[in-house]
Amino acid sequence: MAANTPKVELRRSSTMGQTVENPQNAKETLGRLLRYFVQSQRLLIGLLAAVAAVTVTSLLAPALQGRVIDAIKDRSWQEFRVLLAVLAVTFLLNGICSLAQSLLSARLSQSIVRQMRYDLFRKIDHLSISYLDRHSNGDVMSRMTNDIENISNTVSQSLGSLVSGVLTVVGTIAIMFWYCWQLTLITMVTVFLTVFVTKKMSQMMGGVYRKRARALGRLNGHSEEMISGYRTVLAYNRQERTRAEFMELSDRLTREGVHAEILGGTMGPLMNSISTLGFVMVAAFGGYFALKGLITIGIISAFIIYAKQFSRPINEIAQLYGSVQTAVAGAERVFDLMDQPDEDNSGTEEIEQMQGNITFRHVNFSYLPGKQVLYDFNLEIHSGQKIALVGATGSGKTTVVNLLMRFYPVDSGEILIDGKNIMSLRRDWLRRNTAIVLQDTVLFSDTIEHNIKYGSPEADDAAMLRAAQTSNCAPFIERLKDRYQTFLKQSGASLSHGQRQLLNIARAVIADPKILILDEATSSVDTRTEQGIQDALVKLMKNRTSLIIAHRLSTIQDADVIVVMDQGKVVETGTHEELLEKKGAYYALYMAQFYSACEKEG
């Protein structure tokens, strides 16, 4: 199904030894991202003002230091004291503004990320089931966590540095040219050398870092697989083989890591060497220009500082490029999810006295174009009937439920409830009057009380107790220390599968639906537990229209009508006895399960 979904393609490059994700449409994404900055414009203006103040004071300090040195040389002590006081104030302001910059950056990033998380979660809350079926939970969660966290880190750590770096470079060049254009041109040589070396080193380091990342990924994958399958490793006595594979992968990671660290460690010394070369050139040529009377000794001192101050933001901007690109790529993924269409919310009608009659009339459906799942599906379900859908995996049983719940729209045909097309009914009303008990139990990390009342949050404690009694989960709840206030950790991991299923049934009971759907509700429990669940389901299905999907045919023998499906079509209908007499598709399924059960018992 994933082929139907537009995906954000990310190009990868390498900058300063880091793998960088490049967005496909950076301009549009930046434009949308800036709208979040506008929503926090006061913080943004304050941050830019703080950055400007830090930059101005950083540019003034070297000039003042140069003038202080010249005042000492000229023995102008009055000017020396004034300049020293101004220099101290400048450093003090720089420190205060730097602190303000850090605080405002943090506030701005959290403000933006908070709004983005809210918008994204609100979007997820309205996403169609089809989108979530086509994308893994990990992919959606990654957009909520990793991608937004990248944006937060870039805003808090990189935005101020990026703006400050650009202003510093421009301001430094202007001041250096004003002092001595000849010495400025000489200084530019080291700048171009820095850029050239950085580019070459980045290309080399990119390949090495990618190899290390791949080696780390293989090691992590092997470790996760062995830990999650530890029982199997022990059962087949494969500890030695597993340990040998781990050591091989670990040694490979060590080799790649050493290579990467050595190469990465040369970047700093190379940059320091180039920077030192720049200082030597400034000192040598500056001394010559001073002897010629073009500049003073104080200006030479200022130039040395400006030369260092000029190369630092260039290196920082090069390093920030990767994080900015990754953040924009993350924002593109976030906006891609936000741009997905909402779940269809059409329909305004309600049925005042709902009976629960369901009609599928000439329904055709396909998840993907050209791959049809249901073919001219027709089914009539009367109020209070118990209908069972059976058939091989992929025959379309669960699809029928998806369409009834409006998780997907039909391609053609119609589904009626009490004579009204479900597309004309309010979606929330339809689902409020329908309850599902699935094979995969879903419990939340909360108390048992809140998990049961999830089916009807406005229900009182008396209704909760009746639901627990009806679903047969009251006995085991009463044995728990905190009873209904027991907090379920890890979605009820401390309970057996059967107990978790009974709580799911209690949730359906308290919802008091007119239509009940059971999708393989007992397929993954043992026979004894299944009997307890079946007893609870019998109570739950009383006086309700019930639609049951089951692989175990023994659980639906008392159904009013059994519908046998094959490749999206209804091939047989009737009661259990009628279908056995026909000796058709149902008979073949039943006899296959019967003999399989006999073989297991034998």
Side-chain angles (χ1 to χ4, degrees):
M1 284 182 250
N4 237 8
T5 307
K7 292 186 177 181
V8 179
E9 296 291 340
L10 299 177
R11 297 187 299 272
R12 292 182 179 270
S13 62
S14 178
T15 300
M16 298 298 288
Q18 298 175 338
T19 300
V20 179
E21 289 186 343
N22 296 321
Q24 288 280 40
N25 197 339
K27 185 177 180 180
E28 181 181 344
T29 302
L30 280 172
R32 295 184 64 173
L33 199 54
L34 285 176
R35 296 174 196 170
Y36 285 93
F37 284 86
V38 172
Q39 294 178 25
S40 304
Q41 55 184 334
R42 290 185 179 180
L43 288 172
L44 179 61
I45 292 171
L47 174 61
L48 294 178
V51 169
V54 170
T55 304
V56 169
T57 52
S58 297
L59 292 173
L60 282 176
L64 289 171
Q65 286 179 262
R67 292 187 60 183
V68 167
I69 292 173
D70 286 339
I72 295 173
K73 180 179 74 69
D74 298 336
R75 297 180 180 275
S76 179
W77 304 117
Q78 179 63 29
E79 183 182 5
F80 168 76
R81 285 191 290 272
V82 173
L83 289 172
L84 201 61
V86 173
L87 184 61
V89 171
T90 301
F91 279 127
L92 180 62
L93 286 174
N94 183 272
I96 293 173
C97 292
S98 296
L99 177 61
Q101 176 183 331
S102 299
L103 294 176
L104 289 169
S105 293
R107 288 286 302 277
L108 179 63
S109 69
Q110 292 306 311
S111 175
I112 291 171
V113 166
R114 177 183 177 275
Q115 187 60 44
M116 287 192 75
R117 280 203 182 105
Y118 173 77
D119 291 344
L120 184 59
F121 190 82
R122 184 175 59 181
K123 181 63 185 185
I124 293 173
D125 202 34
H126 291 81
L127 273 178
S128 64
I129 292 293
S130 60
Y131 180 87
L132 295 174
D133 282 347
R134 292 193 299 262
H135 292 76
S136 67
N137 293 340
D139 176 65
V140 176
M141 286 302 300
S142 177
R143 301 182 195 220
M144 174 66 77
T145 54
N146 295 344
D147 291 329
I148 288 188
E149 192 62 29
N150 285 335
I151 298 170
S152 174
N153 291 336
T154 299
V155 174
S156 63
Q157 300 174 14
S158 304
L159 180 62
S161 300
L162 191 61
V163 176
S164 176
V166 173
L167 294 176
T168 299
V169 168
V170 174
T172 301
I173 291 178
I175 293 174
M176 290 170 69
F177 266 102
W178 183 66
Y179 273 141
C180 180
W181 64 268
Q182 299 95 330
L183 198 55
T184 302
L185 292 177
I186 293 171
T187 305
M188 290 294 117
V189 174
T190 59
V191 174
F192 291 123
L193 186 59
T194 299
V195 173
F196 176 77
V197 172
T198 299
K199 183 178 180 180
K200 290 298 181 182
M201 287 293 295
S202 296
Q203 292 174 350
M204 295 172 61
M205 293 167 65
V208 174
Y209 274 71
R210 281 192 293 272
K211 287 182 180 179
R212 185 178 69 171
R214 284 194 293 267
L216 178 60
R218 285 192 289 267
L219 181 64
N220 287 341
H222 177 78
S223 300
E224 181 182 355
E225 191 176 66
M226 291 305 104
I227 292 172
S228 61
Y230 185 63
R231 290 178 182 272
T232 304
V233 173
L234 291 182
Y236 285 90
N237 198 28
R238 303 283 286 184
Q239 295 95 314
E240 291 298 328
R241 175 68 179 273
T242 300
R243 190 180 301 116
E245 292 173 349
F246 176 84
M247 291 306 300
E248 180 183 349
L249 293 172
S250 180
D251 290 343
R252 186 179 306 171
L253 175 60
T254 300
R255 290 193 298 270
E256 299 293 351
V258 169
H259 191 190
E261 292 299 326
I262 291 175
L263 192 58
T266 59
M267 178 67 84
L270 273 175
M271 293 299 103
N272 289 334
S273 299
I274 295 173
S275 180
T276 302
L277 176 63
F279 296 155
V280 171
M281 292 174 65
V282 169
F285 285 96
Y288 174 76
F289 291 150
L291 291 175
K292 292 293 184 179
L294 296 175
I295 56 176
T296 65
I297 297 175
I299 291 178
I300 296 175
S301 172
F303 244 95
I304 291 175
I305 298 174
Y306 280 127
K308 182 178 181 181
Q309 194 166 275
F310 179 73
S311 59
R312 178 181 55 80
I314 290 179
N315 290 332
E316 286 183 353
I317 291 173
Q319 292 175 1
L320 291 175
Y321 173 81
S323 61
V324 170
Q325 287 292 90
T326 300
V328 174
E332 193 169 60
R333 280 166 45 81
V334 170
F335 293 141
D336 172 70
L337 197 156
M338 288 185 182
D339 291 339
Q340 295 300 318
D342 287 344
E343 187 179 13
D344 182 13
N345 198 28
S346 60
T348 58
E349 298 184 54
E350 295 183 7
I351 301 174
E352 291 187 8
Q353 298 294 328
M354 182 176 176
Q355 300 301 313
N357 297 297
I358 305 172
T359 303
F360 289 81
R361 186 178 295 165
H362 304 296
V363 173
N364 292 282
F365 175 75
S366 56
Y367 290 104
L368 293 174
K371 296 183 179 180
Q372 194 164 342
V373 178
L374 292 183
Y375 298 83
D376 193 31
F377 182 80
N378 293 277
L379 180 63
E380 187 79 27
I381 306 174
H382 299 293
S383 176
Q385 269 192 324
K386 179 179 177 182
I387 305 296
L389 298 178
V390 301
T393 300
S395 59
K397 304 185 298 299
T398 300
T399 299
V400 172
V401 173
N402 288 337
L403 298 180
L404 178 60
M405 292 295 294
R406 279 185 59 177
F407 291 155
Y408 290 87
V410 299
D411 294 342
S412 63
E414 58 182 354
I415 303 174
L416 309 174
I417 293 181
D418 291 348
K420 287 187 178 291
N421 193 315
I422 62 171
M423 299 307 295
S424 67
L425 299 175
R426 282 178 48 203
R427 188 190 62 197
D428 59 335
W429 178 90
L430 171 66
R431 293 176 184 171
R432 192 167 61 245
N433 285 276
T434 308
I436 301 181
V437 180
L438 300 170
Q439 172 186 353
D440 298 323
T441 57
V442 177
L443 296 175
F444 301 99
S445 295
D446 206 333
T447 61
I448 288 179
E449 175 187 356
H450 288 150
N451 269 283
I452 294 177
K453 288 184 178 180
Y454 195 85
S456 179
E458 67 278 0
D460 56 21
D461 290 346
M464 178 190 67
L465 293 174
R466 286 196 299 272
Q469 290 289 346
T470 302
S471 62
N472 292 343
C473 63
F476 83 79
I477 295 176
E478 296 291 341
R479 292 194 297 268
L480 298 174
K481 179 182 177 182
D482 296 321
R483 303 176 67 196
Y484 291 89
Q485 299 307 314
T486 301
F487 192 88
L488 301 180
K489 297 180 180 179
Q490 298 180 7
S491 303
S494 59
L495 302 177
S496 70
H497 187 85
Q499 290 171 331
R500 294 199 295 270
Q501 190 65 291
L502 290 176
L503 288 178
N504 269 332
I505 295 172
R507 182 188 295 165
V509 171
I510 204 171
D512 192 23
K514 294 296 183 181
I515 298 174
L516 177 65
I517 299 171
L518 306 176
D519 191 352
E520 306 287 358
T522 63
S523 64
S524 57
V525 296
D526 60 84
T527 306
R528 184 175 180 181
T529 304
E530 179 186 10
Q531 186 57 52
I533 295 176
Q534 283 290 347
D535 293 342
L537 291 176
V538 168
K539 298 177 186 177
L540 177 59
M541 288 186 288
K542 188 176 181 180
N543 298 324
R544 291 185 173 89
T545 303
S546 302
L547 191 60
I548 306 168
I549 297 175
H551 277 300
R552 292 185 184 178
L553 303 184
S554 59
T555 63
I556 47 91
Q557 293 181 14
D558 61 338
D560 297 316
V561 178
I562 297 174
V563 179
V564 185
M565 298 183 64
D566 184 32
Q567 297 183 357
K569 300 177 182 178
V570 176
V571 294
E572 283 184 340
T573 60
T575 65
H576 174 68
E577 291 77 11
E578 291 171 348
L579 293 176
L580 287 180
E581 288 179 5
K582 290 181 179 179
K583 293 190 176 181
Y586 180 80
Y587 177 83
L589 287 172
Y590 182 79
M591 296 307 293
Q593 287 192 12
F594 176 78
Y595 283 119
S596 177
C598 290
E599 288 177 2
K600 288 181 180 179
E601 291 179 3

